[in-house]
Amino acid sequence: MGVLRFLRLCALFLTFTVCNGWLFDSFGEQRRREADEVALWPLPQKVQSSGTAFRLSATSFQIVHGKGSTAGPSCSLLQNAFRRYYNYIFGDVRKHGKNLNNVFDSDVLELQVLITAADPECDGYPSIKSDESYSLEVDQPAAVLKAANVWGALRGLETFSQLVYEDDYGAHNVNKTSISDFPRFAHRGILLDTSRHYLPLRFILENLEAMAMNKFNVFHWHIVDDHSFPFQSRTFPDLSHKGAFHPFTHVYTPSDVKMVIEFARMRGIRVVAEFDTPGHTQSWGKGQTDLLTPCYSGSSPSGSFGPVNPILNTTYDFMTRFFKEVSTVFPDAYIHLGGDEVDFSCWKSNPDIQKFMDKQGFGQDYSKLESYYIQRLLDIVSSTNKGYMVWQEVFDNGVKLKADTHLHVWKVKPQYQDEMARITAAGFHALLSSPWYLNRITFGQDWQDAYKADPQNFNGTAEQKKLVIGGEACLWGEYVDATNLTPRLWPRASAVGERLWSDENVKDVGSAYDRLTKHRCRMVRRGIAAEPLYIGFCPHEYGGQ
Ligand SMILES: *[C@@H]1O[C@H](CO)[C@@H](O)[C@H](O)[C@H]1NC(C)=O
Ligand SMILES: *[C@@H]1O[C@H](CO)[C@@H](O)[C@H](O)[C@H]1NC(C)=O
Ligand SMILES: *[C@@H]1O[C@H](CO)[C@@H](O)[C@H](O)[C@H]1NC(C)=O
């Protein structure tokens, strides 16, 4: 229907507001024709697409459990995902009340999701060992998505939803396509910092949603730090009561934390909490007396405090009880224990610490004292049957580590490639964040630097490269709160998402730009306030607001 005839109709029958919406929508429609093409992000390992287009009708198309699947309607994780992806595919139609699809029959009647493993893992948690591979055959009269278990199915559903596009008549189409896909790295994370600024729950959930759109699978929750302690502990309620920015409004209650973990699980995302010690703990000291080291000015206490006090037995009693709780609250097999940036000046000023150092024969080497503390902490956490992740300093300082420790490389100097080489040469697993501190912003398309970085780009043997488990994009919170979190993170983090999922040879910045521009528009259409990459427009942005 032409715009003029629309206007005439408007004038005759409808209120101005409604017409306005329709008018803009019809412009949106035209623009969509030019710009809405399929853009897969991150790019699957193997894609064979064809020019044979099939129609999907919003009224008859369904996502269903395939015949012989080991998962059925009792698998709420999949039921939930089927609904979510149906809405992502057809959401536009409903919102704008367009019924154009109804006049067509579906060529592809359904997407059959076939889970093949004896245990579909519907009620389980994703882990570093989860199988996220899947295959997708889009054909007539049904598309088939095959995966060993639910984790691969989730990734495949996202890919299927990305294959659907609208044609010139506003109908939903999908081309005959064959895809087989799996992640390059098992650990693909996003770090959010809820200590420097508190992030209300719904913003955390929104970002988990965006993570799933980019096939990320680890939410590294940097939950507490010097600045505030929003984690509400049942064992030590004073920690958040006195250490949070506000004791009631700026805390994560046990049920909040449960909700985050379940929301993430439904999207195949692990929640790895970080409780960083012995540095970065000022906020802990507010609710737990004698935990931090009193700093001295000359021969008397200055009134300020330093890192956790490593010489008191009460410190280890506290840590034992605290991490016992943490290990039950967070089901993931790993806890991140931090261990970065310990400032030794306060320890140096304290005469009791001096005496302890002498007794232990540490001389003036404070990294030995740090190692002493971390060593005892690692023993405590090991006794809860958890594995641990730590920042690179713990390795650099020569702390004895369990073989399955995951070492997190974050420093940019000296060059991180050498650190990756050293860690893997020592036989430890490494993950990379140095080039992916997305809180650092520069003018221009800085996603490209993130895109070009590769965690396996260091001098080392094939054996060493195999020890690289992936990486994380980090969004530290000095200058980030709920107002700018989402646009600062997306789509810049998407660049990291493709680096960690797709084949290592997928690195052409030009083709990435085209796909990422469209992927970003798709995120916006799905309600994620991802910022633009550069000048341009999204085809749907004038539609029906
Ligand atoms: C899908 O098919 C249409 C119609 O033949 C074609 O114009 C388009 O390029 C195809 N898209 C892809 C991604 O193959
Ligand atoms: C701390 O514990 C150690 C070993 O468990 C014990 O020998 C020592 O006396 C304790 N120190 C204090 C001050 O209680
Ligand atoms: C690998 O080693 C070569 C030769 O020493 C050096 O030129 C190069 O910069 C190194 N590459 C990385 C990524 O460190």
Side-chain angles (χ1 to χ4, degrees), residues 415 417-418 457-460:
Q415 64 165 346
Q417 288 89 345
D418 296 343
N457 175 28
F458 60 85
N459 287 321

Side-chain angles (χ1 to χ4, degrees), residues 38 49-53 165 175:
V38 171
S49 52
S50 78
T52 310
Y165 62 97
N175 286 18

Side-chain angles (χ1 to χ4, degrees), residues 2 6 11 41 72 84 114 149 156 163 180 226 242 251 267 271 279 318 367 431 433 476 490 498 541:
F6 237 109
W41 192 280
R84 193 162 68 245
L114 184 66
N149 53 48
L163 284 172
S180 90
D226 280 330
K242 296 184 177 158
V251 294
R267 286 154 184 79
V271 178
F318 166 82
S367 71
L431 66 151
S433 279
W476 297 98
W490 308 103
E498 177 151 295
E541 69 195 356

